[in-house]
Amino acid sequence: MRHPAALSLIAFSAYAAASPSFAMAQYTGEAFARGSDTLIYREVHIEDASRHAIVFQCPDGRAFARKRLSTAGAPTQPDFDFKDARNGYEEGVRGEGGQRVAYVRKVDGQRSEHPLSIDAGAVIDAGFDAYVRANWDRVIRGGASVPFLMTGRGKFFPVKITAAAAQGPERRIDLRLDAWYGFAAPTISVTYTEATRLLRRYEGPGAIRDDHGKPLDVRIEFSPSERKSDVPSHAWEDALALPLDGRCPA
């Protein structure tokens, strides 16, 4: 049975609260190999109320991958596209007329597409963050279970969301498969500031994969000092125009 590995496909790039529509915000996450202080890559996020771009950089600053999300519709169910130029891996969700389609291109070049049937309460990729903020009290009091899209499989799996007790100004929220085989799947932990509900830390399978297509197990730290508001609007175009010529090892 391959279900226990499915939670590793929740490897989303975490997405913090959107800024007002007239301004863009920028923040940076530093990804380390779990259990070490070895920097693997950085995520530079540019966003406003309806769009979100993430540029993945090697430690030397050169970009190698990019994700773009449209959050103008249902914030919990964004369209998105992701591409890693080092190994050709791609995945995303797009609309085709009245149909939503999940697609993936694996590192071996194999491509697949899956039409989606999406429930109103389902969550796609970084829409998890919007879900948590919109349902904060419910998650804190007793947790929740939501259908979460495993993009690579083109299917929704039940994911249980639970909150740990607050630790000072922060609170950790855990995701795990809500099924009998969930014990065999990795747990994802996402830490927020209690007061502002902004992302501070992500621990689990990341968006970046190794040369064999396996998600890297990472800890991503989002420092408040790296968060900027009122970023010029051309930052969006700049992020999309950056050449993906970084070649740091996966």
Side-chain angles (χ1 to χ4, degrees):
M1 177 177 294
R2 300 177 62 187
H3 295 315
L7 194 63
S8 67
L9 303 181
I10 294 183
F12 56 83
S13 300
Y15 160 50
S19 303
S21 59
F22 57 82
M24 300 209 78
Q26 177 176 316
Y27 56 97
T28 301
E30 293 193 321
F32 302 89
R34 274 236 269 185
S36 83
D37 293 322
T38 301
L39 179 66
I40 305 175
Y41 61 86
R42 294 184 181 88
E43 300 181 357
V44 179
H45 296 243
I46 304 289
E47 65 171 6
D48 61 17
S50 63
R51 55 187 179 168
H52 183 188
I54 307 163
V55 177
F56 298 83
Q57 298 177 338
C58 297
D60 65 6
R62 298 177 71 178
F64 66 89
R66 181 165 38 232
K67 178 180 276 192
R68 179 174 51 183
L69 304 100
S70 173
T71 56
T76 58
Q77 300 174 356
D79 280 352
F80 77 95
D81 59 78
F82 169 83
K83 179 178 181 179
D84 188 333
R86 299 169 309 160
N87 54 28
Y89 184 86
E90 299 178 15
E91 68 175 19
V93 172
R94 65 174 185 269
E96 294 183 350
Q99 177 70 64
R100 305 280 296 283
V101 176
Y103 66 89
V104 62
R105 181 190 184 277
K106 297 182 179 180
V107 295
D108 62 5
Q110 181 182 353
R111 186 178 180 92
S112 60
E113 297 190 357
H114 304 276
L116 298 175
S117 177
I118 305 176
D119 294 337
V123 174
I124 294 175
D125 199 72
F128 165 79
D129 186 79
Y131 176 88
V132 167
R133 286 184 286 105
N135 296 274
W136 184 266
D137 292 339
R138 176 188 176 191
V139 170
I140 297 306
R141 285 197 304 266
S145 182
V146 299
F148 198 103
L149 177 66
M150 311 302 179
T151 308
R153 298 183 185 274
K155 296 180 180 180
F156 289 88
F157 287 79
V159 169
K160 187 172 182 60
I161 305 171
T162 57
Q167 297 292 322
E170 299 179 348
R171 186 183 292 271
R172 192 188 78 243
I173 293 176
D174 296 328
L175 294 78
R176 56 177 58 87
L177 281 178
D178 192 8
W180 68 265
Y181 45 80
F183 70 91
T187 296
I188 290 175
S189 295
V190 188
T191 300
Y192 292 85
T193 55
E194 182 80 7
T196 61
R197 302 177 191 177
L198 291 177
L199 183 67
R200 282 287 288 114
R201 185 176 304 106
Y202 171 95
E203 298 171 277
I208 301 305
R209 295 168 181 263
D210 64 20
D211 291 337
H212 304 290
K214 181 181 178 181
L216 300 179
D217 190 26
V218 295
R219 170 177 55 88
I220 306 176
E221 298 285 347
F222 294 87
S223 172
S225 65
E226 296 292 324
R227 190 175 294 271
K228 304 173 184 177
S229 58
D230 297 323
V231 174
S233 60
H234 64 73
W236 171 264
E237 287 76 17
D238 293 346
L240 297 186
L242 274 175
L244 301 182
D245 56 2
R247 289 298 178 264
C248 43

